[in-house]
Amino acid sequence: MTHQLSVIGTGVIGNGWIARALARGWDVVAFDPAPDAASRTRAFVDNAWPALERLDMAESASRGRLRFADSLEAAVQGADLIQENVPERLELKREILSALDAAAAPGVIIGSSTSGFKPSDLQQNCLREPGRVIVAHPFNPVYLLPLVELVGGAATRPSDLDAAQVLYRELAMRPLVVRREIEGHIADRLMEALWREALHLVNDGVATTEEVDAAVVYGCGLRWSLMGTFLTFHLAGGEQGMRHMLEQFGPALKLPWTKLEAPELTDELIDRVVEGCEFQAAGRPVAELDRRRDDFLVELLDLVQKYWPESEGLPGRI
């Protein structure tokens, strides 16, 4: 059975959804009013395709199954799943999601890729079936990283989330249903905390952007990629596990090791961060860095699957 994904907004995230769906053998209909949207999307998919070919690509996968519609309403005709990816402005998202709710066939799930807004806030202007409008938050690059956070709002029924889980699994995603809505969901709140502390380290002259990234890549990041935060600390407690770790290192939580509040983004800090990142990129274009990242992630995903098969349901039992 052929499925159709309708993608509204074709920035980095929207194009990531498109590449993933094409690789899974879905038809994709996209809409974006930008005049160069179609050419940018096809270039994006072409750049991502070599990495996707190394994964478990569907036999029916084809870049030719993508077409662009000339209106939002036309884009959602025949959709099995709709994914909204417009800029992170609440009023804009409400306007677009209301139009999608009015145009989509009954029962079709409408997922928003929003990084931070709560679904109840997104549903407010949806008059037909507000409960089907949910958060479906992925991670860049969407075509490789399997996690999608699913969050229902006040009008969402359990059956809406059940239906969403089935569809996203058919896109080879690993849905994580967030127990209750909260700004930033789960993963972005964790990443935001690390990001704020990283900015403080650069702002205070403790480390450069390159040194902060090295600390993650060669330290905690390697462990986190397999076991996450809690299980990693569980091992730090030795044979007694997490209980001993908390007894030994718990008091350090009261020490001023982190600041949490973000530093002011002064021109000096912005220049320092930008110059540091440009030094790390060493003149390589983003598309080249994308391919390097994709090659790494393909091999890393294979390693995670090898050492923690999905059949075991861990980490996180999702």
Side-chain angles (χ1 to χ4, degrees), residues 2 6 87 158 172 241 247 284:
T2 301
S6 293
E247 290 172 352
R284 294 181 289 260

Side-chain angles (χ1 to χ4, degrees), residues 239-256:
E239 291 299 322
Q240 299 178 55
M242 178 61 80
R243 184 171 300 280
H244 180 64
M245 196 286 294
L246 289 174
E247 290 172 352
Q248 184 172 1
F249 298 105
L253 294 173
K254 299 294 185 180
L255 299 176

